[in-house]
Amino acid sequence: MKKAAIAILLVLLLTGCWDRLPLKTLHIVDIAGIDQDKENGDIVLNYVVTKLKNVGQGSGEPSPKITVLKGHSLVEAVEQGQYTEQGPFFGMHTGIYFISKSFASDDPVQELTFILKAPYTASNSPVVIINGNMSKLLKSKIGTNKEFTRGLSDFVLSIEKNGIAPEVTLMKLILSRKEPLEDMALPLLKPSNSSMELDGALLFRQGTYTGKELDKDQVQMLMLMLEKYSGNKRYTGNMSRKDEDKKSDYGFSVKKLNSKIITHPESGELPKVSIGVRMRIYVFKFGESVQPFKPEYVNRMEKELGKHLEEDAAATIKTLQKANCDVLGIGQQLKAYHPNIWKSMNWRKDFPEMSIEPNFDVQILNSEE
């Protein structure tokens, strides 16, 4: 009996925690929007915190609130949060780090690095970029759509999950500074009606913006070459055809995709690289033709579509080389599987000059036998 009483007493005494935080005083950040004041260079931090009003059983009305904090650095701006009536703020569940193009262009990693060691912060959340004034954008979107925060979070997760855009977390961006071969493309969003849409991607080399970017179609091509796709994703576009004066629309979904980087050594010269992409697709539109997908017609479609995709892929690769940004991971492949070739190269000098050729092998599955 005495042992039981002691055990109960210990449970009561040990349930507390020295750094515990009352739930009622917590302000969990949904979006951390980071911008840079163009006039004085100060950092502008926009915290979006959503709470529920009119809470009932299993329901409630979302009520997002924006708090704007400023400082000469991001650390200083974060610190201001403890002096406001809306604070303190805790980012352990931060859904998205929303950074402006101006902030991303001015050594963002230097400002962001402290987050890896800061308490109550989330470093494994995705990072996306917008072009424009962060405060005005958030105020406008949230003012007209109370579900904006949730919708934006769902949208960002969906484009990454479905292979529409690269997935880049805050931790990955910060750690890339010390990784010589860790280049990346950060998704760029733009306003669209009451929400946002993908507008392309900014190219980063070791955590630094290269000044170059991919458009939306090039991002799609990049994801195909990276073997990132989803069966739910539909690919559409238009292309020139030999038998038609105007461009023809096409549309397909991918059933199976394989991509492989192949290195061809060249004596006394830089190695040549080919990127082989094998696609098994279902076509739902191809030009204005209404004829059935007979084998001879399908064979011609496969060759024309493959050539068109190769041209788009070559243009995308050219942009990557101009930016000296190896998002495709060619350098990593060379270092791992061709160490002798790698040792003979000056990677950052040689990458923009290399011959990199895409080869697309397209097979249409819904042909009529």
Side-chain angles (χ1 to χ4, degrees), residues 84-231:
T84 67
E85 62 179 12
Q86 291 85 9
F89 297 93
F90 299 94
M92 66 278 276
H93 294 300
T94 303
I96 303 171
Y97 287 96
F98 214 26
I99 66 178
S100 71
K101 188 175 180 180
S102 60
F103 176 80
S105 302
D106 190 18
D107 198 7
V109 171
Q110 181 179 348
E111 292 285 350
L112 295 167
T113 299
F114 81 95
I115 294 177
L116 293 183
K117 298 181 180 179
Y120 308 116
T121 58
S123 59
N124 215 27
S125 297
V127 179
V128 294
I129 299 174
I130 66 151
N131 190 4
N133 185 292
M134 182 71 67
S135 299
K136 290 182 179 179
L137 172 69
L138 291 175
K139 185 177 180 180
S140 171
K141 293 298 182 183
I142 292 176
T144 57
N145 181 9
K146 299 300 182 184
E147 296 281 355
F148 173 75
T149 301
R150 179 177 178 180
L152 178 61
S153 179
D154 291 344
F155 171 67
V156 171
L157 292 176
S158 70
I159 63 174
E160 295 173 347
K161 179 181 178 181
N162 293 322
I164 299 172
E167 178 181 3
V168 180
T169 64
L170 183 70
M171 179 183 292
K172 183 177 180 181
L173 174 62
I174 294 172
L175 295 180
S176 69
R177 172 57 59 87
K178 296 184 178 180
E179 296 293 335
L181 298 178
E182 194 63 58
D183 298 342
M184 57 189 63
L186 269 66
L188 176 66
L189 305 185
K190 70 175 182 179
S192 172
N193 298 323
S194 61
S195 188
M196 306 290 291
E197 68 177 43
L198 182 69
D199 193 38
L202 268 59
L203 298 175
F204 280 71
R205 180 176 60 249
Q206 285 190 263
T208 302
Y209 178 42
T210 64
K212 303 290 185 180
E213 58 187 81
L214 302 177
D215 62 30
K216 185 164 55 176
D217 292 335
Q218 289 177 321
V219 172
Q220 179 173 272
M221 183 54 61
L222 172 66
M223 299 305 285
L224 287 176
M225 289 190 286
L226 288 174
E227 202 176 305
K228 305 288 186 182
Y229 78 105
S230 166

Side-chain angles (χ1 to χ4, degrees), residues 301-366:
M301 289 168 60
E302 291 172 343
K303 292 178 181 178
E304 291 184 8
L305 184 57
K307 182 179 179 181
H308 171 71
L309 294 174
E310 286 174 356
E311 291 173 352
D312 286 354
T316 302
I317 292 170
K318 186 176 181 179
T319 301
L320 296 178
Q321 289 186 285
K322 284 183 177 180
N324 204 347
C325 181
D326 180 25
V327 183
L328 293 168
I330 295 172
Q332 295 176 355
Q333 289 277 327
L334 281 171
K335 186 176 181 180
Y337 300 109
H338 302 276
N340 291 332
I341 295 177
W342 172 258
K343 291 176 183 178
S344 68
M345 298 179 68
N346 181 338
W347 180 245
R348 286 303 177 190
K349 179 182 177 182
D350 294 338
F351 173 68
E353 306 299 326
M354 291 177 65
S355 170
I356 306 173
E357 180 181 347
N359 296 305
F360 276 73
D361 174 14
V362 178
Q363 180 182 354
I364 297 173
L365 299 177
N366 54 326

Side-chain angles (χ1 to χ4, degrees), residues 62-81:
S63 178
K65 188 171 184 179
I66 305 172
T67 299
V68 180
L69 306 169
K70 298 182 179 181
H72 294 303
S73 65
L74 183 57
V75 174
E76 187 176 317
V78 170
E79 185 181 6
Q80 299 304 313

Side-chain angles (χ1 to χ4, degrees), residues 51-62:
K51 291 194 173 183
L52 292 178
K53 296 172 61 179
N54 304 322
V55 179
Q57 186 173 2
S59 65
E61 178 185 344

